[in-house]
Amino acid sequence: MNLHSGCFSDDEIVRLLSLTDPVEIEELRRNAYDLATAEVGDTVHYRGIVEFSNICTLDCHYCGIRKSNRDVERYCLSQEETVQAALWCAEAGYGSCVLQSGERRDEKFVVFVEECIRQIRDKSVSDSLPQGLGITLSLGEQLLDTYHRWREAGAHRYLLRIETTNKRLFAHLHPAAQCFSNRLQALDDLREAGFQVGTGVMIGLPGQTVSDLCADIRFFAGRDIDMIGMGPYIVSRGGGMVDQGMMEREALLLLSLKMIAATRLVLRDVNIAATTALQTLAPDGRERGIAFGANVTMPNVTPISVRRNYQLYDGKPCLDEGGWECRSCLERRIAAAGRRVGWNEWGDSRHYGRRIAV
Ligand code: SAM
């Protein structure tokens, strides 16, 4: 199979995701890494993630902060705390932040986010960041009008995972009220509101096959997606799927890495995140993600006092690590993967740049 062509049949993608021979896996990795260098450069971009609230009105069965988990102490940072955490990213040279929380759609929440975005954009302008911090949102399904308001306030990227494109599996993972078609509509609405749109899936879900993952990659390509944030599914004691277990950790890590590499080979110039969940499976999980073709990472900048209440899955790493400590640890990890950090850069997806130029 020609790994440079950018043209793969479904059978070929399934074969890449199923590789077990270390020599073939290394060939896949090398090709994905080299293609990332050629298409998106040798820099890795940081987006400091502020998990500003774990209050959630939804009940996704896999998630540790779902509404019906009574064992979580709920919190919502103040506007000032949220803005401060984001501004720390500007100070540390991160270039961008992500605002993430449990899902709420009430007007008070919409205004809270709108105000945080405005303040972050205004207060982060400096000589090194003349346009202020880049702002990504990860706040779930909202009304089109809400997306417009947040875009106008100054956020410009939005991450909304489809979670899986297998509709039967999607229905199994969510209560009936959360339907697949609404999620598709939300992805369309985000595009209409002018966001750079990111999506992604959980890898290794109970009942998921490599053909499903191949269909997920086709979905990313078919929707002309700008950014991908995907990671391993890790069981959560607070979720409703404990009895269904999870994949064996080493196999799950390998599958996640092959998924990053295959996605890079098919989509080429998109941004792909090496997510924190990779590091839950192995201490060097994130740098291995970068070595398999990812070019974005999301260090946690949530205040340590609330971090352990945002456990989406068991064993989430870096719960006690302060910002500066995490910054230098990550820089070492990125250098170990042969990359450098894009300090003070937004690091927008090249795919997005090409898409809007057309
Ligand atoms: N509410 C927003 C949303 O749904 O997009 C943002 C918060 S949500 C907790 C962020 C992501 O966490 C989800 O898209 C999901 O993929 C991931 N997640 C939740 N539980 C997980 C688990 N057990 N393993 C891996 N990822 C998980």
Side-chain angles (χ1 to χ4, degrees):
M1 173 188 335
N2 175 3
L3 294 182
H4 303 276
S5 68
C7 212
F8 297 89
S9 68
D10 285 359
D11 283 350
E12 286 171 331
I13 295 174
V14 165
R15 186 170 127 56
L16 292 176
L17 295 171
S18 311
L19 291 177
T20 53
D21 176 356
V23 175
E24 289 184 316
I25 292 171
E26 174 54 19
E27 196 193 343
L28 168 66
R29 185 204 71 72
R30 186 80 237 169
N31 274 277
Y33 182 85
D34 289 346
L35 187 69
T37 316
E39 290 281 349
V40 295
D42 67 348
T43 43
V44 169
H45 289 102
Y46 281 8
R47 285 85 171 87
I49 182 164
V50 188
E51 299 154 340
F52 65 86
S53 173
N54 65 356
I55 299 170
C56 194
T57 56
L58 300 187
D59 230 342
C60 309
H61 302 318
Y62 45 84
C63 186
I65 62 165
R66 69 195 175 118
K67 176 178 72 175
S68 59
N69 181 10
R70 307 253 175 267
D71 293 332
V72 181
E73 198 182 314
R74 301 287 167 173
Y75 72 89
C76 184
L77 298 182
S78 67
Q79 206 161 285
E80 195 186 346
E81 289 168 319
T82 306
V83 172
Q84 273 317 111
L87 292 181
W88 183 87
C89 298
E91 196 189 326
Y94 283 10
S96 296
C97 67
V98 181
L99 300 183
Q100 190 183 82
S101 79
E103 208 152 314
R104 280 173 58 187
R105 296 171 191 155
D106 54 285
E107 179 62 15
K108 196 171 161 205
F109 179 78
V110 174
V111 171
F112 176 95
V113 173
E114 214 171 11
E115 202 41 47
C116 286
I117 297 168
R118 285 218 167 87
Q119 289 196 26
I120 294 166
R121 273 312 263 277
D122 289 349
K123 294 182 178 173
S124 59
V125 172
S126 68
D127 287 346
S128 27
L129 277 175
Q131 300 187 81
L133 271 179
I135 304 176
T136 305
L137 302 178
S138 171
L139 303 169
E141 290 171 32
Q142 303 286 342
L143 296 174
L144 174 60
D145 178 59
T146 303
Y147 289 147
H148 273 298
R149 285 168 64 181
W150 289 345
R151 179 76 187 94
E152 272 154 31
H156 70 300
R157 304 185 196 110
Y158 204 108
L159 183 61
L160 179 72
R161 286 185 177 178
I162 191 75
E163 312 296 1
T164 173
T165 57
N166 176 327
K167 291 184 192 150
R168 200 177 28 79
L169 187 53
F170 187 98
H172 174 73
L173 297 172
H174 299 98
Q178 292 173 238
C179 63
F180 189 77
S181 57
N182 287 353
R183 195 144 280 236
L184 292 181
Q185 183 62 50
L187 286 169
D188 286 343
D189 289 349
L190 284 165
R191 178 64 66 87
E192 189 178 332
F195 280 98
Q196 288 176 48
V197 181
T199 192
V201 294
M202 284 179 285
I203 301 159
L205 287 160
Q208 188 183 48
T209 64
V210 282
S211 296
D212 290 331
L213 293 173
C214 168
D216 295 339
I217 295 175
R218 293 281 187 228
F219 173 85
F220 304 151
R223 290 221 148 216
D224 211 9
I225 284 297
D226 301 310
M227 334 176 282
I228 312 285
M230 57 189 173
Y233 164 71
I234 297 171
V235 76
S236 164
R237 259 168 301 162
M241 293 172 50
V242 178
D243 55 346
Q244 294 170 52
M246 64 179 268
M247 274 181 74
E248 187 275 317
R249 297 175 91 82
E250 192 52 41
L252 177 56
L253 176 61
L254 188 57
L255 180 61
S256 305
L257 296 172
K258 288 186 287 187
M259 184 68 179
I260 289 174
T263 303
R264 170 63 68 205
L265 291 178
V266 178
L267 275 83
R268 303 176 79 87
D269 59 357
V270 296
N271 278 352
I272 303 181
T275 54
T276 315
L278 288 172
Q279 201 179 329
T280 305
L281 297 175
D284 62 349
R286 271 193 285 189
E287 54 264 45
R288 286 172 75 182
I290 291 163
F292 274 73
N295 67 323
V296 164
T297 192
M298 301 193 285
N300 196 335
V301 300
T302 309
I304 292 175
S305 56
V306 295
R307 231 181 255 185
R308 59 186 60 256
N309 295 324
Y310 201 87
Q311 296 246 37
L312 308 179
Y313 44 81
D314 296 347
K316 196 162 165 231
C318 304
L319 291 182
D320 300 315
E321 208 175 48
W324 293 106
E325 204 183 333
C326 172
R327 183 185 187 273
S328 47
C329 164
L330 249 184
E331 193 179 7
R332 271 195 311 277
R333 289 174 185 277
I334 286 165
R339 298 296 199 211
R340 60 192 176 88
V341 180
W343 298 116
N344 293 308
E345 292 171 359
W346 278 13
D348 281 340
S349 149
R350 291 240 176 118
H351 184 81
Y352 174 73
R354 286 171 182 153
R355 182 163 70 75
I356 56 167
V358 171

Coordinates of all heavy atoms in Angstrom, one line a residue, residues 302-349:
T302 N -6.6 24.4 34.7 CA -7.7 24.5 35.7 C -7.1 24.7 37.1 O -6.1 23.9 37.4 CB -8.6 23.3 35.6 OG1 -8.9 23.0 34.3 CG2 -9.8 23.4 36.5
P303 N -7.6 25.6 37.9 CA -7.0 25.6 39.3 C -7.0 24.3 40.0 O -8.0 23.5 39.9 CB -8.0 26.6 40.0 CG -8.6 27.4 38.9 CD -8.6 26.5 37.7
I304 N -5.9 24.0 40.6 CA -5.7 22.6 41.2 C -6.8 22.3 42.2 O -7.2 21.2 42.4 CB -4.3 22.5 41.8 CG1 -3.3 22.5 40.7 CG2 -4.1 21.2 42.7 CD1 -1.8 22.5 41.2
S305 N -7.3 23.4 42.9 CA -8.3 23.1 43.9 C -9.6 22.4 43.4 O -10.3 21.8 44.2 CB -8.7 24.5 44.6 OG -9.2 25.4 43.6
V306 N -9.9 22.6 42.1 CA -11.1 21.9 41.6 C -10.8 20.8 40.6 O -11.7 20.1 40.2 CB -12.1 23.0 41.0 CG1 -12.6 24.0 42.0 CG2 -11.4 23.7 39.8
R307 N -9.6 20.7 40.2 CA -9.2 19.8 39.1 C -9.8 18.3 39.3 O -10.2 17.7 38.4 CB -7.7 19.7 38.9 CG -7.3 20.0 37.5 CD -5.8 19.9 37.4 NE -5.2 21.2 37.2 CZ -4.0 21.4 37.0 NH1 -3.1 20.4 36.9 NH2 -3.5 22.6 36.9
R308 N -9.7 17.9 40.6 CA -10.1 16.5 40.8 C -11.6 16.2 40.7 O -12.0 15.1 40.6 CB -9.5 15.9 42.0 CG -9.8 16.5 43.3 CD -9.0 15.9 44.5 NE -7.6 16.0 44.3 CZ -6.8 15.0 43.9 NH1 -7.3 13.8 43.7 NH2 -5.5 15.2 43.8
N309 N -12.3 17.3 40.6 CA -13.8 17.2 40.4 C -14.2 17.2 39.0 O -15.3 17.2 38.6 CB -14.5 18.3 41.2 CG -14.3 18.3 42.7 OD1 -14.2 17.2 43.2 ND2 -14.2 19.4 43.3
Y310 N -13.2 17.2 38.1 CA -13.4 17.2 36.6 C -12.9 15.9 36.1 O -12.1 15.9 35.1 CB -12.9 18.4 35.9 CG -13.5 18.7 34.6 CD1 -14.7 19.5 34.5 CD2 -13.0 18.2 33.4 CE1 -15.3 19.7 33.3 CE2 -13.6 18.4 32.2 CZ -14.7 19.2 32.1 OH -15.4 19.5 30.9
Q311 N -13.2 14.8 36.7 CA -12.7 13.5 36.3 C -13.7 12.8 35.3 O -14.6 12.2 35.7 CB -12.6 12.6 37.5 CG -11.5 13.1 38.5 CD -10.3 12.1 38.5 OE1 -9.9 11.6 37.5 NE2 -9.8 12.0 39.7
L312 N -13.4 13.0 34.0 CA -14.3 12.5 33.0 C -14.2 10.9 33.0 O -15.1 10.2 32.7 CB -14.0 13.0 31.6 CG -13.9 14.5 31.5 CD1 -13.5 14.9 30.1 CD2 -15.2 15.2 31.9
Y313 N -13.0 10.5 33.4 CA -12.7 9.0 33.4 C -11.7 8.8 34.5 O -11.1 9.7 35.0 CB -12.1 8.6 32.0 CG -11.1 9.5 31.5 CD1 -9.7 9.5 32.0 CD2 -11.4 10.5 30.6 CE1 -8.8 10.4 31.5 CE2 -10.4 11.4 30.1 CZ -9.1 11.4 30.6 OH -8.2 12.2 30.2
D314 N -11.5 7.5 34.9 CA -10.7 7.2 36.0 C -9.2 7.4 35.6 O -8.8 7.1 34.5 CB -10.9 5.7 36.4 CG -12.4 5.5 36.9 OD1 -13.0 6.6 37.2 OD2 -12.8 4.4 37.1
G315 N -8.4 7.8 36.6 CA -7.0 7.9 36.5 C -6.5 9.1 35.7 O -5.4 9.1 35.1
K316 N -7.3 10.2 35.5 CA -6.9 11.3 34.8 C -5.6 11.9 35.4 O -5.5 12.1 36.6 CB -8.0 12.4 34.8 CG -7.9 13.5 33.8 CD -9.2 14.2 33.6 CE -9.0 15.5 32.9 NZ -9.6 16.6 33.6
P317 N -4.6 12.1 34.5 CA -3.3 12.5 35.1 C -3.2 14.0 35.4 O -4.1 14.8 35.1 CB -2.3 12.1 33.9 CG -3.2 12.3 32.7 CD -4.6 12.0 33.1
C318 N -2.1 14.4 35.9 CA -1.7 15.8 36.2 C -2.6 16.5 37.1 O -2.9 17.7 36.9 CB -1.6 16.6 34.9 SG -0.4 15.9 33.7
L319 N -3.2 15.8 38.1 CA -4.2 16.5 39.0 C -3.5 17.5 39.9 O -4.2 18.4 40.4 CB -5.0 15.4 39.7 CG -5.9 14.6 38.9 CD1 -6.7 13.6 39.8 CD2 -6.9 15.4 38.1
D320 N -2.3 17.2 40.2 CA -1.6 18.1 41.2 C -0.5 19.0 40.7 O 0.2 19.6 41.4 CB -1.0 17.2 42.4 CG -2.0 16.4 43.0 OD1 -3.1 17.0 43.3 OD2 -1.8 15.2 43.2
E321 N -0.3 18.9 39.4 CA 0.8 19.6 38.8 C 0.5 21.1 38.5 O -0.5 21.4 37.8 CB 1.2 18.9 37.5 CG 2.6 19.0 37.1 CD 2.9 18.2 35.9 OE1 2.2 18.3 34.9 OE2 3.9 17.5 35.9
G322 N 1.3 22.0 39.0 CA 1.1 23.4 38.8 C 1.5 23.8 37.4 O 2.1 23.0 36.7
G323 N 1.0 25.0 37.0 CA 1.2 25.4 35.6 C 2.6 25.4 35.1 O 2.9 24.9 34.0
W324 N 3.5 26.0 35.8 CA 4.9 26.2 35.3 C 5.6 24.8 35.2 O 6.3 24.5 34.3 CB 5.7 27.2 36.2 CG 5.2 28.6 36.0 CD1 4.5 29.3 36.9 CD2 5.3 29.4 34.8 NE1 4.1 30.5 36.4 CE2 4.6 30.6 35.1 CE3 5.9 29.3 33.6 CZ2 4.5 31.7 34.2 CZ3 5.8 30.3 32.7 CH2 5.1 31.5 33.0
E325 N 5.3 24.0 36.2 CA 5.8 22.6 36.3 C 5.4 21.8 35.0 O 6.2 21.2 34.4 CB 5.2 22.0 37.5 CG 6.0 20.8 38.2 CD 5.1 20.3 39.3 OE1 4.3 21.0 39.9 OE2 5.3 19.1 39.6
C326 N 4.1 21.9 34.8 CA 3.5 21.2 33.6 C 4.1 21.8 32.3 O 4.4 21.0 31.4 CB 2.0 21.5 33.7 SG 1.1 20.9 32.2
R327 N 4.3 23.1 32.3 CA 4.8 23.7 31.0 C 6.2 23.2 30.7 O 6.5 22.8 29.6 CB 4.9 25.2 31.3 CG 5.4 26.0 30.1 CD 5.6 27.5 30.6 NE 5.9 28.4 29.5 CZ 7.1 28.7 29.0 NH1 8.2 28.0 29.6 NH2 7.3 29.5 28.1
S328 N 7.1 23.1 31.7 CA 8.4 22.6 31.4 C 8.4 21.1 31.1 O 9.2 20.6 30.3 CB 9.4 23.0 32.4 OG 9.0 22.8 33.7
C329 N 7.6 20.4 31.9 CA 7.5 18.9 31.6 C 7.0 18.6 30.2 O 7.6 17.8 29.5 CB 6.5 18.3 32.6 SG 5.9 16.7 32.3
L330 N 6.0 19.4 29.7 CA 5.5 19.1 28.4 C 6.5 19.5 27.3 O 6.7 18.9 26.3 CB 4.3 20.0 28.2 CG 3.0 19.3 28.0 CD1 1.8 20.2 27.8 CD2 3.0 18.2 27.0
E331 N 7.3 20.6 27.6 CA 8.2 21.1 26.6 C 9.3 20.0 26.4 O 9.7 19.7 25.3 CB 8.9 22.4 27.1 CG 9.7 23.0 26.0 CD 10.3 24.3 26.4 OE1 10.3 24.7 27.6 OE2 10.9 25.0 25.5
R332 N 9.7 19.3 27.5 CA 10.7 18.2 27.4 C 10.1 17.1 26.6 O 10.7 16.5 25.7 CB 11.0 17.7 28.8 CG 12.1 18.4 29.5 CD 12.7 17.6 30.7 NE 11.6 17.1 31.6 CZ 11.1 17.9 32.6 NH1 11.5 19.1 32.8 NH2 10.2 17.4 33.4
R333 N 8.8 16.8 26.9 CA 8.1 15.7 26.2 C 8.1 16.0 24.7 O 8.2 15.1 23.8 CB 6.7 15.5 26.7 CG 6.7 14.9 28.1 CD 5.3 14.9 28.7 NE 5.2 14.4 30.0 CZ 5.2 13.2 30.4 NH1 5.3 12.2 29.5 NH2 5.2 12.9 31.7
I334 N 7.8 17.2 24.3 CA 7.6 17.6 22.9 C 9.0 17.5 22.2 O 9.1 17.0 21.1 CB 7.0 19.0 22.8 CG1 5.5 18.8 23.1 CG2 7.1 19.6 21.4 CD1 4.7 20.0 23.4
A335 N 10.0 18.0 22.9 CA 11.4 17.9 22.3 C 11.8 16.4 22.2 O 12.4 16.1 21.1 CB 12.4 18.6 23.3
A336 N 11.3 15.6 23.1 CA 11.7 14.1 23.0 C 11.0 13.5 21.7 O 11.5 12.6 21.2 CB 11.2 13.4 24.2
A337 N 9.9 14.1 21.3 CA 9.2 13.6 20.1 C 9.8 14.3 18.9 O 9.2 14.1 17.8 CB 7.7 13.8 20.2
G338 N 10.8 15.1 19.0 CA 11.5 15.7 17.9 C 10.8 17.0 17.3 O 11.0 17.4 16.2
R339 N 9.9 17.6 18.2 CA 9.2 18.8 17.7 C 9.6 20.0 18.6 O 10.2 19.8 19.7 CB 7.7 18.5 17.9 CG 7.1 17.4 17.0 CD 7.2 17.7 15.6 NE 6.3 17.0 14.7 CZ 6.6 16.6 13.5 NH1 7.8 16.8 13.0 NH2 5.7 15.9 12.8
R340 N 9.2 21.2 18.2 CA 9.3 22.3 19.0 C 8.0 23.0 19.3 O 7.0 22.7 18.5 CB 10.3 23.3 18.4 CG 9.9 23.8 17.1 CD 11.0 24.6 16.3 NE 10.5 24.9 15.0 CZ 9.8 26.0 14.7 NH1 9.6 26.9 15.7 NH2 9.3 26.3 13.5
V341 N 7.9 23.8 20.3 CA 6.7 24.4 20.7 C 6.4 25.7 19.9 O 7.4 26.5 19.8 CB 6.6 24.7 22.2 CG1 5.3 25.3 22.6 CG2 6.9 23.4 23.0
G342 N 5.2 25.9 19.4 CA 4.9 27.2 18.8 C 4.5 28.2 19.8 O 3.3 28.5 19.9
W343 N 5.4 28.7 20.5 CA 5.1 29.7 21.6 C 4.4 30.9 21.0 O 4.8 31.4 19.9 CB 6.4 30.2 22.3 CG 7.1 29.1 23.0 CD1 8.4 28.7 22.8 CD2 6.7 28.3 24.1 NE1 8.7 27.6 23.6 CE2 7.7 27.4 24.5 CE3 5.5 28.3 24.9 CZ2 7.6 26.5 25.5 CZ3 5.4 27.3 25.9 CH2 6.4 26.5 26.2
N344 N 3.5 31.4 21.7 CA 2.8 32.7 21.3 C 2.2 32.6 19.9 O 2.0 33.7 19.3 CB 3.7 33.9 21.4 CG 4.1 34.2 22.8 OD1 3.2 34.3 23.7 ND2 5.4 34.2 23.1
E345 N 1.8 31.5 19.5 CA 1.2 31.4 18.1 C -0.2 30.8 18.3 O -0.4 29.9 19.2 CB 2.0 30.5 17.2 CG 3.3 31.0 16.8 CD 4.2 30.0 16.0 OE1 3.7 28.8 15.8 OE2 5.3 30.4 15.7
W346 N -1.2 31.2 17.5 CA -2.5 30.6 17.6 C -2.5 29.2 17.0 O -3.2 28.3 17.5 CB -3.5 31.4 16.7 CG -4.0 32.6 17.5 CD1 -3.6 33.2 18.7 CD2 -5.2 33.4 17.1 NE1 -4.3 34.2 19.0 CE2 -5.3 34.4 18.1 CE3 -6.0 33.4 16.0 CZ2 -6.3 35.4 18.0 CZ3 -7.0 34.4 15.9 CH2 -7.2 35.4 16.9
G347 N -1.6 29.0 16.0 CA -1.5 27.6 15.4 C -2.9 27.2 14.8 O -3.3 26.0 15.0
D348 N -3.5 28.0 14.0 CA -4.8 27.6 13.4 C -4.5 26.5 12.4 O -3.4 26.4 11.9 CB -5.4 28.8 12.6 CG -6.1 29.8 13.6 OD1 -6.4 29.3 14.7 OD2 -6.3 30.9 13.2
S349 N -5.5 25.7 12.2 CA -5.4 24.6 11.3 C -5.1 25.1 9.9 O -5.8 26.0 9.3 CB -6.7 23.8 11.3 OG -7.0 23.2 10.1

